[in-house]
Structure formats: structure tokens, C-alpha cells
Amino acid sequence: MTARTHAAPAPGRIGPVRAERLRLPADASRRAAFLAISGASIAQIMANRNGARAGEDPEYVHQMRVGLRRLRSALRLFRGHEHLLSRRDRQAVKTLGRVLGGVRDLDVFAADIAGAGLAPAARRAALARLEPPRARAREKLLAWLDGPRHARLEQRLALSLAADRPGGGAAVLPFAVRALERAHRPLARAVRDIAALDEPALHALRIEVKRARYAAEFFATLGWERPAGAYARALAALQDALGRINDMASGRVLLTQTGIATRTSAQLMREWQVAARAATASLPQLAANAIACAGYWQTGKEKRHVRSC
């Protein structure tokens, strides 16, 4: 489900750690860029781990999950060119993502219920129905974070970065051009008939949009900061609209699983449907905006794409 606002950290606490803004020099090697991107993602995961474990602010889980997604996107982006983790380690990363996702989905569902236009008694009853599944999801997360597989994964992540040295090798810039083009391609195909896509196809598109946004952010400082920023913002707006549509699909499943009262479920579904219809109507324009901002990575197009965005 889509992200929500979070409470400010208490005085003296750092609070949830967001993704670091990368500064890759234009002459960086591909290996150095890969290690910098992976290292920043791993640092975000580690920085939010204790907060996610404590469970006082749901944003820690969200930001830990974002770091994990960025790491998986980096591994996918550089796949076949650079190596960091074994297949076993990559599977552990994937499992951690599922465990965090189980907690996050219920956190967001609870926030949706708290902010919905429900009668106070109905809201209290719905939130009470969520407590057992939320407790089970947190127990599963704690079991993972305290377990041997996670300890081994953290050790491998730290050792992989500490033992590696960027060195020389192929330049990252030509690779980045190809990677950005490859990441954008699924979006370019999907927007031709975006209004006709069903829920599973829109969910798949949302994942591709997220990957393209991460790629734009990873490589922005290779001479493309302004157009990459415009492209990333356009993708974020499209991702947010797709997220509102996905919220309705996810909420429908969670309503069934948690057994929330029929009248309350109907009210929540009506509110999600209103948001989803508005988001669906906005998709063609948002997709067109993203397409207009793309292509800046092609030689000679940087200035034109800044103007078009």
C-alpha cells in the first residue's frame, strides 16, 4: 500500500533514515558506481533496523523496506555486469522484503482506517480487529531480525562492501545510458494503452515505474541532475497514482482477511473507489508527463528535456 506521513522523531533521536542522495562523479567506473549505490542502500537498511525492531514509528519499517528495494533494484540494474551477493544472500534479501511488506501493509491499512470517515465506534472496532494480525506480522519480523539468517545476511552485506575495492575498469557513463533506456522501455510500452490496463497490469507497471525512478536517482549526478530530477518527479507522481489504485486492491484483500464488519468495509471500499477513480483518470496525463521527461540520457537532448518538463 502507498506511503503515509509519519510522526516526527522524539528530541535527541535521529528518526527514520531516508535514502542518501548519491554523488557519482562523471568519470566513475562502473564498479565504483555499483558499490556506491549498493553501499548507500545497505546503509539505509542498517540505519532503520533498530527502529523497525522497536516498532515505535512505522516509518522505520517503511524506510528499511525502501532501502531494501533500492538494493534489489541496483542488483537487478547491474545484473550480468557486477556481483555482490550470492544466490542464497539474494534470496534472504527477498524474504526480508516480504516480511517487512507484511508489517507495512497492515500499518498503512490501520492508518487508512484511522483517517477514514467512519463513526468513532466503527473505527475503534475496525482497529481492534487489526491488532491480532498486526501483532503476528511484527512477531514474524522480530523472529527474522533476531534469527541466524538475518545475522548472516547483515554480515555478508558488510563484508562484501568492506572487502571490495572499486579499482578501475569500465566507465559507468555508457552503462548508465543503456541502463536508463532499458529501465524506461516498459513504461514507454505500457503508456500506449494505459487506460485499458487491468489491476495486475497496473501493479506490474508500478513496479517498473519505481525501478525507472531509482535508476534516474542513482545516475543523476553523471551530468543530468536537472533533467533526471524532473524525470524522477514525474515518475513519482505516476507511481503515487498507481499506488492509490493498488490500495483499493490490497485493501479488498485485507478486509476479507481481517473480517472487519460489513458496513465498515463498505464505507472503506467506497472511499478507496473514489480515490482510485480519480487516480485512474489522471494516469494518461501523468504517463505523458513522464514520457516527455525521458530520453535526457541521449546525447544532445538534456536541455530540450529540461524545457519540456
Side-chain angles (χ1 to χ4, degrees):
M1 302 186 82
T2 51
R4 297 291 186 271
T5 57
H6 62 282
R13 295 183 60 184
I14 295 174
V17 177
R18 296 179 179 274
E20 175 188 349
R21 187 177 181 185
L22 290 165
R23 287 284 177 186
L24 299 178
D27 60 351
S29 70
R30 187 179 65 204
R31 184 65 179 172
F34 174 63
L35 291 174
I37 293 166
S38 301
S41 302
I42 291 169
Q44 185 182 7
I45 295 167
M46 302 291 198
N48 288 290
R49 176 197 55 200
N50 289 341
R53 193 186 186 289
E56 296 176 3
D57 184 344
E59 186 68 8
Y60 283 104
V61 166
H62 175 53
Q63 291 302 329
M64 187 175 181
R65 192 180 181 207
V66 169
L68 206 68
R69 283 174 168 172
R70 290 173 72 90
L71 176 61
R72 292 186 67 190
S73 289
L75 295 174
R76 179 185 178 90
L77 202 62
F78 285 85
R79 187 171 56 194
H81 300 277
E82 303 293 345
H83 178 74
L84 184 70
L85 299 175
S86 68
R87 179 181 296 180
R88 183 183 185 185
D89 294 333
R90 292 195 302 273
Q91 184 58 46
V93 166
K94 188 174 182 179
T95 301
L96 176 57
R98 286 199 298 267
V99 174
L100 287 167
V103 176
R104 179 61 182 169
D105 284 350
L106 288 166
D107 285 344
V108 173
F109 190 36
D112 282 345
I113 290 172
L118 299 171
R123 183 182 298 108
R124 287 193 299 270
L127 290 173
R129 294 287 301 189
L130 280 190
E131 284 308 307
R134 291 184 79 187
R136 288 192 296 270
R138 282 211 51 80
E139 287 171 5
K140 190 173 181 180
L141 174 60
L142 292 177
W144 174 266
L145 293 178
D146 292 339
R149 290 183 67 193
H150 184 72
R152 182 170 55 244
L153 174 62
E154 285 199 345
Q155 184 180 46
R156 292 299 299 272
L157 289 173
L159 288 175
S160 295
L161 292 174
D164 214 320
R165 295 292 179 270
V172 72
L173 189 56
F175 172 82
V177 170
R178 295 192 300 272
L180 287 163
E181 186 65 36
R182 190 170 63 249
H184 178 70
R185 203 171 295 142
L187 171 61
R189 287 196 299 265
V191 298
R192 295 169 190 163
D193 57 350
I194 194 168
L197 297 181
D198 59 13
E199 284 182 358
L202 289 172
H203 177 65
L205 176 60
R206 182 172 175 244
I207 293 171
E208 295 296 347
V209 168
K210 194 176 303 181
R211 288 170 178 164
R213 179 169 67 84
Y214 289 159
E217 292 171 354
F218 291 158
F219 298 127
T221 59
L222 298 177
W224 303 313
E225 283 196 71
R226 288 183 63 197
Y231 181 51
R233 287 190 295 275
L235 290 172
L238 177 57
Q239 181 185 326
D240 185 63
L242 290 166
R244 290 196 295 275
I245 297 168
N246 187 65
D247 278 354
M248 184 177 68
S250 300
R252 189 186 303 124
V253 173
L254 289 171
L255 286 171
T256 301
Q257 291 175 345
T258 54
I260 288 174
T262 303
R263 185 176 296 178
T264 301
S265 297
Q267 174 67 29
L268 290 168
M269 282 303 303
R270 282 194 295 272
E271 293 189 14
W272 286 329
Q273 286 166 351
V274 169
R277 280 196 294 269
T280 300
S282 72
L283 289 181
Q285 184 58 59
L286 292 173
N289 293 346
I291 294 296
C293 292
Y296 60 84
W297 50 83
Q298 298 169 7
T299 304
K301 292 190 176 181
E302 296 92 338
K303 292 182 180 179
R304 178 170 66 82
H305 279 77
V306 169
R307 288 195 299 270
S308 67
C309 290

